[in-house]
Amino acid sequence: MSYIPLSLYTIALLGAALTLLSFRNMSSQTTVQFGSQPAIISVKSSDESEELESASIRELVEAKCPSLFKPFKPVWWLCNGHLQTVHCVTGDFSKIDPLQYNRTYLRLVDGGTLGLDFAPAVADESKVKPDTPIIVVQHGLTGGSYEPYVRAIVKPACTPVEEGGLGYRVVVVNFRGCAGTPITSQQLYSAGHTDDLRQALAYLEHRYPSAPLLGLGYSLGANVLTRYIAEEGENSRLISGCALACPWDLEENNHSLLNSFLGTQVYQKGMGGNLQRLVRKHQESLLIDPEHRVAKAVPGVLALKKPTLAEFDEAFTRIAGGSAPTFPFPDADAYYRWASSHKVLKDVRVPFLAINATDDPVVHKVPMSASDNPYVTMVLTGGGGHLGWFQSGDGITSRWFTEPVLEWMKLTEALVLPSKLRNPPSTYVDEEGFVCEQGRPHLGSKVIPGGGIVDGNGGEAGALQGL
Ligand SMILES: *[C@@H]1O[C@H](CO)[C@@H](O)[C@H](O)[C@H]1NC(C)=O
Ligand SMILES: *[C@@H]1O[C@H](CO)[C@@H](O)[C@H](O)[C@H]1NC(C)=O
Ligand SMILES: CC(=O)N[C@H]1CO[C@H](CO)[C@@H](O)[C@@H]1O
C-alpha cells in the first residue's frame, strides 16, 4: 500500500518537472461563462419576508457567489495538476472535517441496495425545520461518503448556523458496493446509470416533502448528476445542480489518457485497479446466479493483469453498469458514447453550475460552449487538478471550491422555480411498502434494517480511490 502512493508522487514530480520545463503559461485566472441569455429566475430575498427577487442567473451569481470569481492559487508544493490530484488521493485527511453519518439502507425493487448517509448524524428532529434544504451528493468512482473532498462540503454545510455553518442536511448517496454498501443484486453502477439516484431522490422527497433538494456531484458522480438533471428536464426533483470535475466526454477522455504515458500508467491503471478490487470484494454476490450475464463476466475481469479503466469497462462496466435493456452494450466505446454528459447539457432546465480545472489530468475537454443553455454556468479554473483545488492561505487543506459551492447552495436554496419547472412525478407507497413514482412501477425503494451511525472519516484504502 505505502509503495503505491510513493511511486505516484515520483511520477507526479516528473509531471511537475515536465510542466515547468515546457514553460506552459499557467494562468491562475478563473473563467466564468454564462449563457448568452442567462435565464431569469426568482429567489426569496430573505427567510423572514415572502418577497421575491427576480434577476438573471448571471446577476444573481455575480452578486451572491463572489468566491467563484476568485483566482485559484495553489499551495506552492502542489504546483501542477498531477500533484494536486495525487495529494487529493494520497494525503492524510483522517483528522480533517471529522464527522459522522447516520446511514439508511434502501432496498430497491430490482433487489439492489443503496447506502444513504445523512449528516448531521444526530439531529433533533423537533428542532430541524421541515423545509431545511438537503444537499444530495454523488461521489466519484469507487469512492464514498468518507472522501475528504466530500467532507470538505458536508462538514460546513451541516454545521449549525450558530456555529458558522449553513445548517442544512446533507445526504450522500453511496453507489452500489461503495463505502460498505453491500451488493445484493447482479448489478454495479456506472457513469451513465441514473435510476439509483432517481430512486434515492423519490425516497427523500417522500421522507422530507417540503425540503428543497440541491444536487452536488464529483467526477463520475457529477456525470450521473448531470445526466439525471438533463433526462428529467422540467421534471427534475433537484432544483439545482453543481458538478465538480465532471468527465463529460468519456470517449475523448479514454483516447487522450491512453495516448499519454502518465495517463495510462497512473490514471487509467489506478482507476481500473480500484474497480477490479471492488468486483473482487463483491464477487460472491455478483456470481449468485451463474447464468446471469454479469456472473459470466466476473471471471474474465478478475483475470485481467493491472487493467486500465478502458480494459475494465470493456470487460465489465458495459455489461454490469446498469439495468437491461440499456445494458449490455456491444463494446465499451458504445457505453462511453451513451454515458457521456457533454451532449445532454442542452436539456438542463434548472440552474446548473459546472466547475473544471484547466490542468485536470483526467478530464481533457470541457464543453464551455454548453452555456448557450440559459440555465448553465460553466467555470474553468487555472489549476487544481482532478478534485484537488488545494490552495495557499489558511492551511494546506483548504480547498478553493468550498466557498463558491456553499455560496451556490445558499443562492439556489432560495430559488422559487415557476411551477412548470417543478413537476416531478408524484410519489406513492405500493402494497409491498416500496416508495414509487407515478408511471415508473419498475423503480422504488424501501428502508431495510442495518443502518445507523457510521464514521465519516473511516475511509477505504486504495490508490486513486474516489476519482
Ligand atoms: C438515525 O436515523 C434513524 C431514521 O432513519 C433514526 O430513527 C435514528 O434515531 C437516527 N439515529 C440517531 C443516532 O440519531
Ligand atoms: C480507448 O482509446 C484507445 C486509444 O485511442 C483506443 O484504442 C480504444 O479503442 C478506446 N476504447 C476502449 C474501450 O479502449
Ligand atoms: C489538460 C487539458 O487538456 N485541459 C483542457 C481543459 O479544458 C479547456 C477547455 O476545453 C482546454 O482549453 C484545456 O486544454
Side-chain angles (χ1 to χ4, degrees), residues 43-46 49-53:
V43 290
K44 282 175 270 173
S45 28
S46 75
S49 78
E50 291 289 299
E51 265 173 58
L52 292 186
E53 181 186 342

Side-chain angles (χ1 to χ4, degrees), residues 152-344:
I153 297 295
V154 178
K155 182 75 182 180
C158 75
T159 298
V161 177
E162 311 83 79
E163 294 164 37
L166 291 185
Y168 291 4
R169 285 187 220 268
V170 185
V171 180
V172 184
V173 182
N174 294 296
F175 291 121
R176 299 175 187 224
C178 290
T181 306
I183 297 249
T184 51
S185 74
Q186 283 166 292
Q187 186 175 310
L188 213 59
Y189 58 92
S190 66
H193 180 74
T194 53
D195 276 343
D196 290 357
L197 174 60
R198 190 169 277 110
Q199 292 171 102
L201 289 169
Y203 167 75
L204 289 171
E205 180 131 343
H206 179 76
R207 180 161 161 186
Y208 303 105
S210 46
L213 304 174
L214 316 171
L216 172 63
Y218 300 83
S219 190
L220 179 110
N223 200 79
V224 174
L225 178 83
T226 305
R227 284 181 55 86
Y228 165 81
I229 289 177
E231 284 167 5
E232 294 293 340
E234 303 184 343
N235 300 328
S236 171
R237 233 175 253 291
L238 295 167
I239 65 166
S240 72
C242 176
L244 300 178
C246 184
W248 307 114
D249 185 341
L250 305 182
E251 224 185 350
E252 167 71 30
N253 284 334
N254 167 63
H255 288 303
S256 50
L257 280 178
L258 287 179
N259 282 315
S260 90
F261 175 77
L262 289 181
T264 307
Q265 296 305 319
V266 180
Y267 300 107
Q268 277 269 346
K269 291 201 170 178
M271 294 188 277
N274 285 339
L275 281 160
Q276 191 187 41
R277 251 189 305 283
L278 190 73
V279 171
R280 185 160 285 132
K281 182 171 164 188
H282 294 288
Q283 56 178 305
E284 229 170 272
S285 327
L286 291 166
L287 285 166
I288 259 193
D289 168 9
E291 293 308 311
H292 195 281
R293 64 172 203 277
V294 169
K296 289 182 181 156
V298 169
V301 75
L302 292 184
L304 293 174
K305 293 222 162 48
K306 296 197 179 172
T308 59
L309 177 63
E311 285 162 348
F312 180 90
D313 288 339
E314 182 67 40
F316 206 69
T317 313
R318 71 171 178 91
I319 298 164
S323 50
T326 311
F327 286 78
F329 285 90
D331 55 41
D333 282 321
Y335 154 70
Y336 288 156
R337 277 191 292 278
W338 168 77
S340 291
S341 54
H342 64 298
K343 55 179 204 254
V344 300

Side-chain angles (χ1 to χ4, degrees), residues 13-129:
L13 277 168
L14 200 77
L18 287 174
T19 311
L20 290 177
L21 281 175
S22 68
F23 297 107
R24 228 192 297 147
N25 187 10
M26 293 258 296
S27 141
S28 62
Q29 224 42 43
T30 298
T31 309
V32 182
Q33 188 148 320
F34 297 97
S36 40
Q37 288 177 305
I40 307 292
I41 53 174
S42 300
V43 290
K44 282 175 270 173
S45 28
S46 75
D47 273 353
E48 294 78 40
S49 78
E50 291 289 299
E51 265 173 58
L52 292 186
E53 181 186 342
S54 287
S56 77
I57 288 186
R58 176 177 195 137
E59 289 165 314
L60 287 167
V61 167
E62 283 174 351
K64 306 200 184 230
C65 307
S67 308
L68 197 57
F69 299 85
K70 280 195 205 152
F72 165 73
K73 294 202 190 92
V75 281
W76 65 269
W77 52 278
L78 297 175
C79 58
N80 78 358
H82 294 293
L83 289 169
Q84 286 271 337
T85 307
V86 166
H87 186 65
C88 170
V89 290
T90 60
D92 179 10
F93 301 95
S94 54
K95 306 281 187 303
I96 312 290
D97 297 324
L99 59 91
Q100 290 185 320
Y101 293 102
N102 185 359
R103 179 166 293 189
T104 294
Y105 281 120
L106 294 183
R107 175 59 41 82
L108 307 177
V109 168
D110 73 3
T113 304
L114 297 180
L116 268 52
D117 284 341
F118 289 76
V122 183
D124 182 350
E125 293 296 331
S126 63
K127 289 202 187 119
V128 185
K129 288 202 285 181

